Amino acid sequence: MGTSNPQRMIVLTELLRRGGALVLFIAGATIGLGYGRADLALAAIVAGGLVYALPPRPKPPQGAVYHERMPTVFMPDLLGFMLATTFFTLPLIVAVNQPSLGQSPWFFAMFWTPGAVALLIFWIAARHQCLWLRVLGHELTLADMHGIVTLPFSEIARVRAETRPPPRWLKPLLVLFGGWRGFGIALLTAERPSHALIVEKRDGSHLRIPADAFPDVRGVLAVLNRNDVALDASLKAQVERKRHPRPVATAKAGLTTGQRHKRT
């Protein structure tokens, strides 16, 4: 098994991307709403958007599967910017207009504490940005925030599925931070369990591969199955469904999946 750490610079770049943009968004909101300088505020916000969008993003190697960017990177980033900018900016704006409140550290702590917690959303988005999986030849390669690990099939004892319920604190945290907006987000996401592939190695250790947003997990499982890697019953069933798909009828037209593609 080979291990390397080129991912650390990628992780640092992704965190700096979000941190730099956040600082500019906070500055823009404070200048615009606190000091009434709409021109400078707009310049800072545009600069923040450029800092986030322009630096090149890491590209997984050819043949790798990776998380869909919209639900796992861009939407969490948007939520993180909304929450963190709001909580870090509000006390600054109040302090500009009410200097007496700005002298109290407790006043800032009341807002900046949830703002700091909201920064965890950026960590999650950056983690998904750096994660990819490739099955090539007779080995499996996984890249995450800690590095790149290459594991030959001969060292894999078994691959099993894992389902984890969402943390209990997630829903009330979203509601607390986002009000009604956070309540809607909580209803959509906080009840969804997370799914993963657990790769159990022959030395007793294991790798955990988050699988929720991978576009072709079944394809990866099919390759492992063809190379006689042991899969648990639920994963075996997924491979069989890919090999022998059932026709799926739509409620409106009663078309199978293949017919629907032809019609479009």
Side-chain angles (χ1 to χ4, degrees):
M1 179 178 68
T3 303
S4 57
N5 289 314
Q7 294 291 94
R8 292 184 178 178
M9 185 58 65
I10 294 176
V11 173
L12 179 60
T13 301
E14 289 303 307
L15 293 177
L16 288 176
R17 175 202 306 277
R18 291 158 175 83
L22 178 62
V23 169
L24 289 167
F25 289 152
I26 293 172
T30 303
I31 292 170
L33 299 177
Y35 294 95
R37 292 296 305 273
D39 53 343
L40 294 179
L42 180 60
I45 292 172
V46 170
L50 294 177
V51 167
Y52 177 78
L54 289 185
R57 297 177 183 270
K59 293 183 178 180
Q62 185 175 3
V65 294
Y66 51 91
H67 286 77
E68 297 177 4
R69 296 312 188 205
M70 183 57 69
T72 63
V73 177
F74 298 129
M75 291 304 295
D77 278 343
L78 178 60
L79 178 63
F81 284 127
M82 290 170 57
L83 296 178
T85 301
T86 298
F87 282 105
F88 283 118
T89 303
L90 277 175
L92 297 176
I93 296 174
V94 173
V96 170
N97 294 282
Q98 298 289 336
S100 59
L101 286 176
Q103 297 176 1
S104 171
W106 295 107
F107 175 73
F108 282 90
M110 181 174 63
F111 288 94
W112 285 4
T113 298
V117 176
L119 296 179
L120 294 175
I121 300 174
F122 293 132
W123 179 265
I124 295 171
R127 176 173 175 266
H128 287 142
Q129 180 81 55
C130 299
L131 184 67
W132 55 262
L133 172 68
R134 183 171 64 173
V135 179
L136 185 64
H138 297 281
E139 62 185 20
L140 176 152
T141 302
L142 174 68
D144 60 15
M145 298 187 78
H146 305 291
I148 300 176
V149 176
T150 299
L151 184 65
F153 293 158
S154 59
E155 296 184 17
I156 301 176
R158 185 178 70 132
V159 180
R160 60 181 174 86
E162 180 189 69
T163 300
R164 288 183 178 179
R168 295 182 178 180
W169 51 263
L170 181 58
K171 182 184 290 188
L173 190 66
L174 287 171
V175 174
L176 175 64
F177 283 4
W180 286 108
R181 180 175 295 162
F183 181 70
I185 296 170
L187 289 177
L188 290 174
T189 62
E191 293 294 340
R192 296 180 181 177
S194 62
H195 302 87
L197 301 178
I198 305 300
V199 180
E200 298 177 351
K201 296 187 284 187
R202 297 189 185 280
D203 62 4
S205 60
H206 69 273
L207 291 175
R208 185 177 188 274
I209 305 173
D212 280 309
F214 280 140
D216 192 20
V217 175
R218 291 182 185 177
V220 172
L221 295 175
V223 174
L224 295 175
N225 187 58
R226 286 198 300 269
N227 285 272
D228 298 322
V229 175
L231 306 177
D232 71 8
S234 63
L235 297 181
K236 275 275 191 182
Q238 290 189 40
V239 174
E240 291 301 319
R241 284 199 298 270
K242 181 177 178 63
R243 187 180 304 171
H244 305 292
R246 297 179 180 179
V248 178
T250 60
K252 290 185 178 180
L255 300 177
T256 65
T257 303
Q259 291 172 326
R260 209 163 52 241
H261 287 309
K262 290 180 181 179
R263 181 70 59 86
T264 57

